Coordinates of all heavy atoms in Angstrom, one line a residue:
M1 N 9.1 -25.2 -11.2 CA 9.0 -24.2 -10.2 C 9.6 -22.9 -10.7 O 10.6 -22.8 -11.3 CB 9.7 -24.7 -8.9 CG 9.7 -23.6 -7.8 SD 10.6 -24.2 -6.3 CE 9.3 -25.2 -5.7
K2 N 8.9 -21.8 -10.4 CA 9.3 -20.5 -10.8 C 10.0 -19.8 -9.7 O 9.5 -19.8 -8.5 CB 8.1 -19.7 -11.3 CG 8.4 -18.3 -11.8 CD 7.0 -17.7 -12.3 CE 7.3 -16.4 -12.9 NZ 6.0 -15.7 -13.4
L3 N 11.1 -19.2 -9.9 CA 11.9 -18.4 -8.9 C 11.5 -17.0 -9.0 O 11.5 -16.4 -10.0 CB 13.4 -18.6 -9.0 CG 13.9 -20.0 -8.8 CD1 15.4 -20.0 -9.1 CD2 13.6 -20.5 -7.4
L4 N 11.1 -16.4 -7.8 CA 10.7 -15.0 -7.7 C 11.7 -14.3 -6.8 O 12.1 -14.9 -5.8 CB 9.3 -14.8 -7.3 CG 8.2 -15.4 -8.1 CD1 6.9 -15.4 -7.4 CD2 8.1 -14.7 -9.5
S5 N 12.0 -13.0 -7.1 CA 12.9 -12.3 -6.2 C 12.1 -11.0 -5.7 O 11.4 -10.4 -6.4 CB 14.1 -11.8 -6.9 OG 14.9 -12.9 -7.4
Y6 N 12.3 -10.8 -4.4 CA 11.6 -9.6 -3.8 C 12.7 -8.8 -2.9 O 13.5 -9.4 -2.3 CB 10.5 -10.1 -2.8 CG 9.3 -10.7 -3.6 CD1 9.2 -12.0 -3.8 CD2 8.4 -9.8 -4.2 CE1 8.2 -12.5 -4.5 CE2 7.3 -10.3 -4.9 CZ 7.2 -11.7 -5.1 OH 6.2 -12.2 -5.8
R7 N 12.6 -7.5 -3.0 CA 13.3 -6.7 -2.1 C 12.7 -6.7 -0.7 O 11.5 -6.8 -0.6 CB 13.3 -5.2 -2.6 CG 14.1 -4.9 -3.8 CD 13.9 -3.4 -4.2 NE 12.5 -3.1 -4.3 CZ 11.9 -2.1 -3.6 NH1 12.6 -1.4 -2.7 NH2 10.6 -1.8 -3.7
V8 N 13.6 -6.7 0.3 CA 13.1 -6.7 1.7 C 13.8 -5.5 2.3 O 15.0 -5.2 2.0 CB 13.3 -8.0 2.5 CG1 12.5 -9.1 1.9 CG2 14.8 -8.4 2.5
L9 N 13.1 -4.8 3.2 CA 13.7 -3.6 3.9 C 13.8 -4.0 5.4 O 12.8 -4.5 6.0 CB 12.8 -2.4 3.7 CG 12.6 -2.0 2.3 CD1 11.6 -0.8 2.2 CD2 13.9 -1.6 1.6
L10 N 14.9 -3.9 6.0 CA 15.1 -4.2 7.4 C 15.3 -2.9 8.1 O 16.1 -2.1 7.8 CB 16.4 -5.1 7.6 CG 16.3 -6.5 7.2 CD1 16.3 -6.7 5.7 CD2 17.3 -7.3 7.9
R11 N 14.5 -2.7 9.2 CA 14.6 -1.5 10.0 C 15.0 -1.9 11.4 O 14.3 -2.7 12.0 CB 13.3 -0.8 10.0 CG 13.3 0.5 11.0 CD 12.2 1.4 10.8 NE 12.3 2.1 9.5 CZ 11.3 2.2 8.6 NH1 10.1 1.7 8.9 NH2 11.5 2.8 7.5
K12 N 16.1 -1.4 11.9 CA 16.6 -1.7 13.2 C 15.6 -1.0 14.2 O 15.3 0.1 14.1 CB 18.0 -1.2 13.4 CG 18.6 -1.6 14.8 CD 20.1 -1.5 14.7 CE 20.8 -1.9 16.0 NZ 20.5 -3.3 16.4
E13 N 15.2 -1.8 15.2 CA 14.2 -1.3 16.2 C 15.0 -0.8 17.4 O 16.0 -1.5 17.8 CB 13.2 -2.4 16.5 CG 12.4 -2.8 15.4 CD 11.5 -1.7 14.9 OE1 11.2 -0.7 15.6 OE2 11.0 -1.8 13.7
P14 N 14.5 0.2 18.1 CA 15.2 0.7 19.3 C 15.3 -0.3 20.4 O 16.3 -0.3 21.1 CB 14.3 1.9 19.7 CG 13.4 2.2 18.6 CD 13.3 1.0 17.7
E15 N 14.3 -1.2 20.5 CA 14.3 -2.2 21.6 C 15.1 -3.4 21.2 O 15.3 -4.4 21.9 CB 12.9 -2.6 22.0 CG 12.1 -3.3 20.9 CD 11.4 -2.4 19.9 OE1 11.6 -1.2 20.0 OE2 10.8 -2.9 19.0
G16 N 15.7 -3.4 19.9 CA 16.5 -4.5 19.4 C 15.8 -5.3 18.4 O 14.6 -5.2 18.2
G17 N 16.6 -5.9 17.5 CA 16.0 -6.7 16.5 C 15.7 -5.8 15.3 O 16.0 -4.6 15.2
Y18 N 15.0 -6.5 14.3 CA 14.7 -5.8 13.0 C 13.3 -6.1 12.5 O 12.9 -7.3 12.5 CB 15.7 -6.3 11.9 CG 17.2 -6.0 12.2 CD1 17.9 -6.8 13.1 CD2 17.8 -4.8 11.8 CE1 19.2 -6.5 13.4 CE2 19.1 -4.5 12.1 CZ 19.8 -5.4 12.9 OH 21.1 -5.1 13.2
T19 N 12.6 -5.1 12.1 CA 11.4 -5.3 11.4 C 11.6 -5.4 9.9 O 12.4 -4.5 9.4 CB 10.4 -4.1 11.7 OG1 10.1 -4.1 13.1 CG2 9.1 -4.2 11.0
V20 N 11.0 -6.3 9.3 CA 11.2 -6.5 7.9 C 9.9 -6.3 7.1 O 8.9 -6.9 7.5 CB 11.7 -8.0 7.6 CG1 12.1 -8.1 6.1 CG2 12.9 -8.3 8.4
T21 N 10.0 -5.5 6.0 CA 8.8 -5.3 5.2 C 9.2 -5.7 3.7 O 10.4 -5.7 3.4 CB 8.3 -3.8 5.2 OG1 9.4 -3.0 4.8 CG2 7.9 -3.4 6.6
V22 N 8.2 -6.1 3.0 CA 8.4 -6.5 1.6 C 7.5 -5.5 0.8 O 6.3 -5.7 0.7 CB 7.9 -7.9 1.3 CG1 8.3 -8.4 -0.1 CG2 8.6 -8.9 2.4
P23 N 8.1 -4.5 0.2 CA 7.3 -3.4 -0.4 C 6.3 -3.9 -1.5 O 5.2 -3.4 -1.6 CB 8.4 -2.5 -1.0 CG 9.6 -2.7 -0.2 CD 9.5 -4.1 0.2
S24 N 6.7 -4.9 -2.3 CA 5.8 -5.4 -3.3 C 4.7 -6.3 -2.8 O 3.8 -6.7 -3.6 CB 6.6 -6.2 -4.4 OG 7.5 -5.3 -5.0
L25 N 4.7 -6.7 -1.6 CA 3.7 -7.5 -1.0 C 3.0 -6.8 0.2 O 3.5 -6.9 1.3 CB 4.2 -8.9 -0.6 CG 5.0 -9.7 -1.6 CD1 5.6 -10.9 -1.0 CD2 4.1 -10.0 -2.8
P26 N 2.0 -6.0 -0.1 CA 1.4 -5.2 1.0 C 1.0 -6.0 2.2 O 0.4 -7.0 2.1 CB 0.2 -4.5 0.3 CG 0.5 -4.6 -1.1 CD 1.3 -5.8 -1.3
G27 N 1.4 -5.5 3.4 CA 1.1 -6.2 4.6 C 2.0 -7.4 5.0 O 1.8 -8.0 6.0
C28 N 3.0 -7.7 4.1 CA 3.9 -8.7 4.4 C 5.0 -8.1 5.3 O 6.0 -7.5 4.8 CB 4.5 -9.3 3.1 SG 5.5 -10.8 3.4
I29 N 4.9 -8.3 6.6 CA 5.8 -7.8 7.6 C 6.2 -8.9 8.6 O 5.4 -9.7 8.9 CB 5.1 -6.6 8.3 CG1 4.7 -5.5 7.3 CG2 6.0 -6.0 9.4 CD1 3.8 -4.5 7.9
T30 N 7.4 -8.9 9.0 CA 7.9 -9.8 10.0 C 9.0 -9.2 10.8 O 9.3 -8.0 10.7 CB 8.3 -11.2 9.3 OG1 8.5 -12.2 10.3 CG2 9.6 -11.0 8.5
Y31 N 9.5 -10.0 11.7 CA 10.5 -9.5 12.7 C 11.5 -10.6 13.0 O 11.2 -11.8 13.0 CB 9.8 -9.1 14.0 CG 10.7 -8.7 15.1 CD1 11.2 -7.4 15.2 CD2 11.2 -9.6 16.0 CE1 12.1 -7.0 16.2 CE2 12.1 -9.3 17.0 CZ 12.5 -8.0 17.1 OH 13.4 -7.6 18.1
G32 N 12.8 -10.2 13.3 CA 13.8 -11.1 13.7 C 14.8 -10.4 14.7 O 15.0 -9.2 14.6
D33 N 15.3 -11.2 15.6 CA 16.3 -10.7 16.5 C 17.6 -10.3 15.9 O 18.3 -9.4 16.4 CB 16.5 -11.7 17.6 CG 15.3 -11.9 18.5 OD1 14.5 -11.0 18.7 OD2 15.2 -13.0 19.0
T34 N 18.0 -11.0 14.9 CA 19.3 -10.7 14.2 C 19.0 -10.5 12.7 O 17.9 -10.8 12.2 CB 20.3 -11.8 14.3 OG1 19.7 -13.0 13.6 CG2 20.6 -12.2 15.8
I35 N 20.0 -10.0 12.0 CA 19.8 -9.8 10.5 C 19.5 -11.2 9.9 O 18.6 -11.3 9.1 CB 21.0 -9.1 9.9 CG1 21.0 -7.6 10.3 CG2 20.9 -9.2 8.3 CD1 22.2 -6.9 9.8
E36 N 20.3 -12.2 10.3 CA 20.1 -13.5 9.7 C 18.8 -14.1 10.0 O 18.1 -14.6 9.1 CB 21.2 -14.4 10.2 CG 22.6 -14.1 9.8 CD 23.2 -12.9 10.6 OE1 22.7 -12.6 11.7 OE2 24.2 -12.3 10.1
K37 N 18.3 -13.9 11.2 CA 17.0 -14.4 11.6 C 15.9 -13.6 10.8 O 14.9 -14.2 10.4 CB 16.8 -14.4 13.1 CG 15.5 -15.0 13.6 CD 15.4 -16.5 13.3 CE 14.2 -17.1 13.9 NZ 14.1 -18.5 13.6
S38 N 16.1 -12.3 10.7 CA 15.1 -11.5 10.0 C 15.0 -11.9 8.5 O 13.9 -12.0 8.0 CB 15.6 -10.0 10.0 OG 15.7 -9.6 11.4
I39 N 16.1 -12.3 7.9 CA 16.0 -12.7 6.5 C 15.3 -14.1 6.4 O 14.5 -14.3 5.5 CB 17.5 -12.8 5.9 CG1 18.2 -11.5 6.1 CG2 17.5 -13.4 4.5 CD1 18.3 -10.6 4.9
E40 N 15.6 -14.9 7.3 CA 15.0 -16.3 7.4 C 13.5 -16.1 7.6 O 12.7 -16.7 6.8 CB 15.6 -17.1 8.5 CG 15.0 -18.4 8.7 CD 15.6 -19.1 9.9 OE1 16.8 -18.9 10.3 OE2 14.8 -19.8 10.6
M41 N 13.1 -15.2 8.5 CA 11.6 -15.0 8.7 C 11.0 -14.3 7.5 O 9.8 -14.6 7.2 CB 11.5 -14.1 9.9 CG 11.9 -14.7 11.2 SD 11.1 -16.2 11.7 CE 9.5 -15.5 12.0
A42 N 11.7 -13.4 6.8 CA 11.2 -12.8 5.6 C 10.9 -13.8 4.5 O 9.9 -13.8 3.9 CB 12.1 -11.7 5.1
K43 N 11.8 -14.7 4.3 CA 11.6 -15.8 3.3 C 10.4 -16.6 3.6 O 9.6 -16.8 2.7 CB 12.9 -16.7 3.2 CG 12.8 -17.7 2.2 CD 14.0 -18.5 2.0 CE 13.8 -19.5 0.9 NZ 14.9 -20.4 0.8
E44 N 10.2 -17.0 4.9 CA 9.0 -17.7 5.3 C 7.8 -16.9 5.1 O 6.8 -17.4 4.6 CB 9.2 -18.1 6.8 CG 8.0 -19.0 7.2 CD 8.2 -19.4 8.7 OE1 9.3 -19.5 9.2 OE2 7.1 -19.7 9.3
A45 N 7.8 -15.6 5.5 CA 6.6 -14.8 5.3 C 6.2 -14.6 3.8 O 5.0 -14.7 3.5 CB 6.9 -13.4 5.9
I46 N 7.2 -14.5 3.0 CA 7.0 -14.3 1.5 C 6.3 -15.6 1.0 O 5.4 -15.6 0.2 CB 8.2 -14.0 0.7 CG1 8.7 -12.5 1.1 CG2 8.1 -14.1 -0.8 CD1 10.1 -12.2 0.6
E47 N 6.9 -16.8 1.4 CA 6.4 -18.1 0.9 C 4.9 -18.2 1.3 O 4.1 -18.7 0.5 CB 7.3 -19.2 1.4 CG 8.6 -19.2 0.7 CD 9.6 -20.2 1.4 OE1 9.4 -20.6 2.5 OE2 10.7 -20.5 0.7
L48 N 4.6 -17.9 2.6 CA 3.2 -18.0 3.1 C 2.3 -17.0 2.4 O 1.2 -17.4 2.1 CB 3.2 -17.8 4.6 CG 3.9 -19.0 5.4 CD1 4.0 -18.5 6.9 CD2 3.1 -20.2 5.3
Y49 N 2.8 -15.8 2.1 CA 2.0 -14.8 1.4 C 1.6 -15.3 0.0 O 0.4 -15.3 -0.3 CB 2.8 -13.5 1.4 CG 2.1 -12.3 1.0 CD1 1.7 -11.3 1.9 CD2 1.7 -12.1 -0.4 CE1 1.1 -10.2 1.5 CE2 1.1 -10.9 -0.7 CZ 0.8 -10.0 0.2 OH 0.1 -8.8 -0.2
I50 N 2.6 -15.8 -0.7 CA 2.4 -16.3 -2.0 C 1.4 -17.5 -2.0 O 0.5 -17.6 -2.9 CB 3.7 -16.6 -2.7 CG1 4.4 -15.4 -3.0 CG2 3.5 -17.4 -4.0 CD1 5.9 -15.5 -3.6
E51 N 1.6 -18.4 -1.1 CA 0.7 -19.6 -0.9 C -0.7 -19.1 -0.7 O -1.6 -19.7 -1.3 CB 1.2 -20.4 0.3 CG 0.5 -21.7 0.4 CD 1.0 -22.5 1.6 OE1 2.2 -22.7 1.7 OE2 0.2 -22.9 2.5
S52 N -0.9 -18.1 0.1 CA -2.3 -17.6 0.4 C -2.9 -17.0 -0.9 O -4.0 -17.2 -1.2 CB -2.2 -16.6 1.5 OG -3.5 -16.0 1.7
L53 N -2.0 -16.3 -1.7 CA -2.5 -15.7 -2.9 C -3.0 -16.8 -3.9 O -4.0 -16.7 -4.5 CB -1.4 -14.8 -3.6 CG -1.1 -13.5 -2.9 CD1 0.1 -12.9 -3.6 CD2 -2.2 -12.6 -2.9
K54 N -2.2 -17.8 -4.0 CA -2.5 -18.9 -4.9 C -3.8 -19.6 -4.5 O -4.7 -19.9 -5.3 CB -1.4 -20.0 -4.9 CG -0.2 -19.6 -5.7 CD 0.9 -20.7 -5.6 CE 2.1 -20.3 -6.3 NZ 3.2 -21.4 -6.2
E55 N -4.0 -19.8 -3.1 CA -5.2 -20.5 -2.6 C -6.4 -19.7 -2.9 O -7.5 -20.2 -3.1 CB -5.1 -20.7 -1.1 CG -4.1 -21.8 -0.7 CD -3.9 -22.0 0.8 OE1 -4.5 -21.2 1.5 OE2 -3.1 -22.8 1.1
H56 N -6.3 -18.3 -3.0 CA -7.4 -17.5 -3.2 C -7.5 -17.1 -4.7 O -8.4 -16.2 -5.1 CB -7.3 -16.2 -2.3 CG -7.5 -16.5 -0.9 ND1 -6.4 -16.8 -0.1 CD2 -8.6 -16.6 -0.2 CE1 -6.9 -17.0 1.1 NE2 -8.2 -17.0 1.1
G57 N -6.7 -17.7 -5.6 CA -6.8 -17.4 -7.0 C -6.4 -16.0 -7.4 O -6.8 -15.4 -8.4
E58 N -5.6 -15.4 -6.5 CA -5.1 -14.0 -6.8 C -3.8 -13.9 -7.5 O -3.0 -14.9 -7.4 CB -5.0 -13.2 -5.5 CG -6.4 -13.1 -4.7 CD -6.3 -12.3 -3.4 OE1 -5.5 -11.3 -3.4 OE2 -6.9 -12.8 -2.5
E59 N -3.5 -12.8 -8.2 CA -2.3 -12.7 -9.0 C -1.1 -12.5 -8.0 O -1.2 -11.8 -7.0 CB -2.4 -11.4 -9.8 CG -1.2 -11.2 -10.7 CD -1.4 -10.0 -11.7 OE1 -2.5 -9.6 -11.9 OE2 -0.4 -9.5 -12.1
I60 N 0.0 -13.1 -8.3 CA 1.2 -13.0 -7.5 C 2.0 -11.8 -8.0 O 2.5 -11.8 -9.2 CB 2.0 -14.3 -7.6 CG1 1.2 -15.4 -7.0 CG2 3.4 -14.1 -6.8 CD1 1.9 -16.8 -7.2
P61 N 2.2 -10.7 -7.2 CA 3.0 -9.6 -7.7 C 4.4 -9.9 -7.9 O 5.0 -10.8 -7.2 CB 2.8 -8.6 -6.5 CG 1.7 -9.1 -5.6 CD 1.7 -10.6 -5.9
T62 N 5.0 -9.2 -8.8 CA 6.5 -9.4 -9.0 C 7.1 -8.0 -9.0 O 6.4 -7.0 -9.0 CB 6.8 -10.1 -10.4 OG1 6.4 -9.2 -11.4 CG2 6.1 -11.4 -10.6
E63 N 8.4 -8.0 -9.1 CA 9.1 -6.7 -9.1 C 9.6 -6.4 -10.5 O 10.5 -5.5 -10.6 CB 10.2 -6.7 -8.0 CG 9.6 -6.8 -6.6 CD 10.6 -6.3 -5.6 OE1 11.8 -6.2 -5.8 OE2 10.1 -6.0 -4.5
K64 N 9.1 -7.1 -11.5 CA 9.5 -6.9 -12.8 C 9.5 -5.5 -13.3 O 10.4 -5.0 -14.0 CB 8.7 -7.8 -13.7 CG 9.1 -7.8 -15.2 CD 8.2 -8.7 -16.0 CE 8.5 -8.6 -17.4 NZ 7.5 -9.4 -18.2
E65 N 8.5 -4.8 -13.0 CA 8.3 -3.4 -13.5 C 8.7 -2.4 -12.4 O 8.4 -1.2 -12.6 CB 6.9 -3.2 -13.9 CG 6.4 -4.1 -15.0 CD 7.0 -3.8 -16.4 OE1 7.2 -2.6 -16.7 OE2 7.2 -4.7 -17.2
T66 N 9.3 -2.8 -11.3 CA 9.7 -1.9 -10.2 C 11.0 -1.2 -10.4 O 12.0 -1.8 -10.8 CB 9.7 -2.7 -8.9 OG1 8.4 -3.3 -8.7 CG2 10.0 -1.8 -7.7
L67 N 11.0 0.1 -10.2 CA 12.2 0.9 -10.3 C 12.5 1.4 -8.9 O 11.5 1.7 -8.1 CB 12.0 2.1 -11.2 CG 11.7 1.8 -12.7 CD1 11.4 3.1 -13.4 CD2 12.8 1.0 -13.3
E68 N 13.7 1.5 -8.5 CA 14.1 1.9 -7.2 C 15.0 3.1 -7.3 O 15.9 3.1 -8.0 CB 14.7 0.8 -6.4 CG 15.0 1.2 -5.0 CD 15.6 0.0 -4.2 OE1 15.5 -1.1 -4.6 OE2 16.1 0.3 -3.1
Y69 N 14.7 4.1 -6.4 CA 15.6 5.3 -6.4 C 15.6 5.8 -5.0 O 14.5 5.8 -4.3 CB 15.0 6.4 -7.4 CG 16.0 7.5 -7.6 CD1 17.0 7.4 -8.5 CD2 15.8 8.7 -6.9 CE1 17.9 8.5 -8.7 CE2 16.7 9.7 -7.1 CZ 17.7 9.6 -8.0 OH 18.6 10.6 -8.2
T70 N 16.7 6.4 -4.5 CA 16.8 6.9 -3.2 C 16.9 8.4 -3.4 O 17.8 8.9 -4.1 CB 18.0 6.4 -2.4 OG1 17.8 5.0 -2.3 CG2 18.1 7.0 -1.0
L71 N 16.0 9.2 -2.7 CA 16.1 10.6 -2.7 C 16.7 11.2 -1.4 O 16.4 10.6 -0.3 CB 14.7 11.2 -2.8 CG 14.0 10.9 -4.2 CD1 12.6 11.5 -4.1 CD2 14.7 11.6 -5.3
T72 N 17.4 12.2 -1.5 CA 18.0 12.9 -0.3 C 17.4 14.3 -0.3 O 17.4 15.0 -1.3 CB 19.5 13.0 -0.4 OG1 20.1 11.7 -0.5 CG2 20.1 13.7 0.9
V73 N 16.8 14.7 0.9 CA 16.2 16.0 1.0 C 16.6 16.6 2.3 O 17.1 15.9 3.2 CB 14.6 15.8 1.0 CG1 14.1 15.3 -0.3 CG2 14.2 15.0 2.2
E74 N 16.6 17.9 2.3 CA 16.9 18.7 3.5 C 15.8 18.7 4.4 O 14.6 18.9 4.0 CB 17.3 20.1 3.2 CG 18.7 20.2 2.6 CD 19.2 21.7 2.5 OE1 18.9 22.5 3.4 OE2 19.8 22.0 1.5
A75 N 16.0 18.5 5.7 CA 14.9 18.6 6.7 C 15.3 19.8 7.6 O 16.3 19.8 8.3 CB 14.8 17.3 7.5
H76 N 14.5 20.8 7.6 CA 14.7 21.9 8.5 C 14.0 21.7 9.8 O 12.8 21.6 9.9 CB 14.1 23.2 7.8 CG 14.8 23.5 6.5 ND1 16.1 24.0 6.4 CD2 14.4 23.2 5.2 CE1 16.4 24.2 5.1 NE2 15.4 23.7 4.4
A77 N 14.8 21.6 10.9 CA 14.2 21.3 12.2 C 13.8 22.6 12.9 O 14.2 23.7 12.7 CB 15.2 20.6 13.0

């Protein structure tokens, strides 16, 4: 079994809970009421996403060549 690692982004929602996206897996989005539940849901969503890719004979994306950087910009209101 091969272990893969993916970054997940959690965005706090105004109505409560967190929306989770997986940047390296387009369309892999889930939701949880708490951070812990969000992470649990993200793991399940990633596993299902990868399973679907395998079933369709598609390549499984990795983050091997991914660089991450945070930019700060001024916003003039």
Side-chain angles (χ1 to χ4, degrees):
M1 177 179 282
K2 185 177 181 180
L3 295 177
L4 299 172
S5 296
Y6 291 96
R7 286 177 308 121
V8 295
L9 304 176
L10 285 77
R11 175 167 292 133
K12 188 162 180 57
E13 296 296 341
E15 66 276 2
Y18 298 85
T19 295
V20 185
T21 58
V22 186
S24 293
L25 304 176
C28 189
I29 301 169
T30 190
Y31 173 87
D33 292 329
T34 65
I35 291 175
E36 295 77 18
K37 185 64 174 176
S38 298
I39 303 256
E40 180 184 325
M41 296 299 292
K43 183 175 181 184
E44 182 179 335
I46 291 168
E47 289 169 346
L48 291 170
Y49 192 104
I50 290 172
E51 185 178 308
S52 176
L53 291 174
K54 286 181 183 177
E55 288 175 2
H56 292 93
E58 297 180 39
E59 185 178 338
I60 298 170
T62 67
E63 294 200 342
K64 182 179 174 186
E65 302 286 327
T66 301
L67 302 174
E68 182 175 348
Y69 191 82
T70 301
L71 293 175
T72 302
V73 298
E74 281 188 42
H76 300 281

